[in-house]
Amino acid sequence: MNTLGMIAIVVDDYDGAISHYVDDLGFSLLEDSILSPEKRWVVVAPSKDGAKILLAKASNEAQRGAIGNSTGGRVGFFLYTTDFAQTFQKFKSNGIEFIEEPRQEPYGQVVVFKDKYGNKWDLIEQK
């Protein structure tokens, strides 16, 4: 059996990224290890289930150019919740930018938001 264990999101600063994903989005900081003076291994996750996120600090111009646009402007990340209304309100009160109003789809309730970097996420409560 294969499992998707982790994805990487390119960020500009480790501490700012940790603050956003942990404080604003409610993720847990699972690991923050120093690998070199310039590089850390920073892993966050919204829960113990599912894939984790490696917060990867951009180290060159090409990587800095990809910050916030790793999926070409499409929604590229999907955050499932069991309480849409509560999560939506919490994110709003934490200053998360929503680019539409919540809507009902055949698969559940959904709304698109942007993280601190401009990456688009679906917040979804599945049916």
Side-chain angles (χ1 to χ4, degrees):
M1 176 176 86
N2 297 324
T3 303
L4 178 62
M6 193 172 336
I7 60 164
I9 293 180
V10 182
V11 300
D12 60 351
D13 171 73
Y14 291 117
D15 294 323
I18 291 168
S19 176
H20 175 64
Y21 286 95
V22 172
D23 298 336
D24 299 339
L25 296 176
F27 291 13
S28 295
L29 177 62
L30 303 179
E31 186 173 354
D32 185 358
S33 301
I34 296 172
L35 301 178
S36 74
E38 302 83 28
K39 190 173 181 179
R40 289 159 52 185
W41 186 261
V42 178
V43 179
V44 297
S47 72
K48 61 181 176 63
D49 300 321
K52 299 167 185 67
I53 299 171
L54 175 70
L55 300 177
K57 184 178 175 187
S59 62
N60 60 43
E61 276 307 308
Q63 291 175 12
R64 282 187 281 281
I67 294 172
N69 193 29
S70 59
T71 59
R74 294 183 55 99
V75 170
F77 307 99
F78 303 85
L79 182 62
Y80 296 122
T81 181
T82 56
D83 190 335
F84 185 91
Q86 179 185 27
T87 305
F88 178 72
Q89 287 305 318
K90 178 183 175 197
F91 283 11
K92 279 183 74 168
S93 69
N94 288 347
I96 301 301
E97 178 186 356
F98 290 91
I99 63 170
E100 64 179 11
E101 292 300 315
R103 65 186 193 281
Q104 194 65 44
E105 295 290 344
Y107 53 85
Q109 192 168 16
V110 64
V111 67
V112 178
F113 70 92
K114 290 183 180 181
D115 67 15
K116 169 182 179 161
Y117 303 98
N119 295 303
K120 291 180 183 173
W121 293 68
D122 271 356
L123 174 64
I124 303 170
E125 182 174 2
Q126 296 177 299
K127 284 188 174 179

